[in-house]
Amino acid sequence: MNNVIIKTPYECLIKTEDEQTLLDENESLVLLPPFSVCIYPVNKAISFILASDNLQTCEFYDVANYKQDTLICLKKTSTCENYSIVNISGCKLEIGERKFTIESEDWKKTILLPCSFDRYQTSVKNNIIMIKFIGKKQVLYAFNKKTAQAHAFSGNKIDFNQEGFSVEEHNINKSYKISNQGLSGSNNEEAACPLPQTLAYHFLEYIKKADLSSAHNLLSQNLQQNISKQALKTFFGSIKSVFYLSPVCYAVQNEKGLKIYNFEVKQDKICDISD
């Protein structure tokens, strides 16, 4: 019998007779049938049993076929989220579990984070506000307070320094300098146009939050001409949870159940979507 992949939108403990595994948000566990496990959502009252001899969509999870395996996506039952609010260099910074908002007197930006993180650090040099998120990978967003221009960087390790910051990825270290003229060092990407490996995730999260204009802007020019914002809402429905399978493949829970979508991305735009 093929493997069963369990994906969770919340932290939970999965127990078998012999062992237990603690999963973080959007992590997965692969099991080989036959099995019967008890799932304990952290900070939630209701636990439930998942057995390989009865894998059917129910109130606790959705079931779909993924390649040669069976995909189980647990259902999120709480929309409660904690926020941290700080003031930095005259700007208000509001940080949630998977997004943050930075606001000055003249502009406001909301950024969806590509992954969960353990902690964050901030730094300011000249007019550039830097926010570094630290998790399995590190992500840094740099905002020019005067122009509202924003750039995003990711790597295995990101360090602040006297001149600006450095990004290390696959043993290659790149340095970025901050001067009165702004940020320089190498080609960098607009934060408003998410990093290519997370673009499809941002697209789905925008639809989930009913920000159809931002989602529509991530489509290629051809798709924008042929697909309306309302058509996006109709096609994807009311999204409840998004599960990462690969940078261009995601499982989506909506009011109709669980569906898997594949994306084709070229030049930082989505040019094709298939299910």
Side-chain angles (χ1 to χ4, degrees):
M1 193 171 183
N2 296 330
N3 291 334
V4 174
I5 304 171
I6 301 174
K7 282 274 191 179
T8 175
Y10 50 77
E11 188 179 6
C12 65
L13 183 68
I14 300 181
K15 285 187 176 182
T16 66
E17 292 183 358
D18 304 319
E19 59 183 352
Q20 61 185 32
T21 304
L22 182 63
L23 295 183
D24 199 358
E25 177 188 355
N26 210 25
E27 287 190 334
S28 59
L29 178 67
V30 179
L31 298 175
L32 181 64
F35 64 80
S36 179
V37 298
C38 193
I39 299 178
Y40 299 88
V42 175
N43 296 328
K44 298 177 187 290
I46 301 177
S47 61
F48 55 93
I49 293 175
L50 175 64
S52 58
D53 60 355
N54 186 28
L55 296 179
Q56 298 180 16
T57 293
C58 65
E59 61 180 302
F60 299 112
Y61 52 83
D62 286 312
V63 182
N65 294 322
Y66 174 60
K67 296 182 179 179
Q68 302 300 318
D69 299 321
T70 299
L71 179 66
I72 306 291
C73 290
L74 307 186
K75 291 183 179 180
K76 194 170 186 177
T77 57
S78 173
T79 58
C80 194
E81 184 173 355
N82 296 319
Y83 286 90
S84 172
I85 301 176
V86 298
N87 290 304
I88 177 171
S89 188
C91 291
K92 178 183 176 183
L93 180 62
E94 184 176 295
I95 298 179
E97 295 174 3
R98 296 300 291 268
K99 69 176 181 178
F100 72 94
T101 298
I102 183 168
E103 181 178 3
S104 74
E105 293 181 354
D106 303 315
W107 53 266
K108 179 179 180 180
K109 289 182 180 290
T110 298
I111 306 293
L112 299 175
L113 295 168
C115 56
S116 58
F117 62 93
D118 301 322
R119 63 189 189 279
Y120 69 92
Q121 296 175 349
T122 61
S123 181
V124 180
K125 188 173 179 62
N126 295 331
N127 291 311
I128 304 297
I129 298 173
M130 295 168 283
I131 310 164
K132 179 175 71 170
F133 295 91
I134 304 168
K136 291 181 178 180
K137 291 200 70 172
Q138 297 189 8
V139 180
L140 181 141
Y141 295 90
F143 297 88
N144 188 312
K145 194 168 69 171
K146 286 188 174 181
T147 66
Q149 188 178 28
H151 296 88
F153 307 83
S154 68
N156 296 324
K157 185 180 181 183
I158 300 176
D159 291 317
F160 296 127
N161 55 47
Q162 291 184 345
E163 294 185 328
F165 59 93
S166 63
V167 179
E168 181 181 318
E169 178 80 346
H170 304 305
N171 295 322
I172 298 174
N173 195 292
K174 295 183 179 180
S175 296
Y176 297 86
K177 296 181 180 180
I178 296 173
S179 65
N180 292 330
Q181 286 70 44
L183 178 65
S184 63
S186 67
N187 294 329
N188 39 50
E189 300 187 38
E190 291 281 347
C193 296
L195 299 174
Q197 62 267 31
T198 62
L199 191 142
Y201 169 79
H202 281 72
F203 171 79
L204 292 170
E205 282 290 325
Y206 281 137
I207 294 176
K208 177 183 174 184
K209 299 176 189 302
D211 187 354
L212 298 178
S213 294
S214 294
H216 200 254
N217 287 337
L218 296 183
L219 299 176
S220 66
Q221 186 175 1
N222 181 57
L223 286 188
Q224 287 187 31
Q225 293 173 348
N226 290 281
I227 301 176
S228 67
K229 298 173 187 177
Q230 184 60 40
L232 286 178
K233 182 178 180 181
T234 302
F235 184 69
F236 288 99
S238 299
I239 296 178
K240 298 179 180 179
S241 294
V242 177
F243 299 92
Y244 174 95
L245 300 176
S246 81
V248 291
C249 184
Y250 290 81
V252 174
Q253 282 176 329
N254 60 22
E255 73 279 8
K256 296 180 180 179
L258 183 66
K259 208 165 190 178
I260 297 173
Y261 295 95
N262 294 282
F263 296 82
E264 184 178 348
V265 178
K266 291 181 180 179
Q267 298 179 338
D268 297 347
K269 293 291 184 180
I270 296 169
C271 58
D272 191 34
I273 305 170
S274 59
D275 56 9

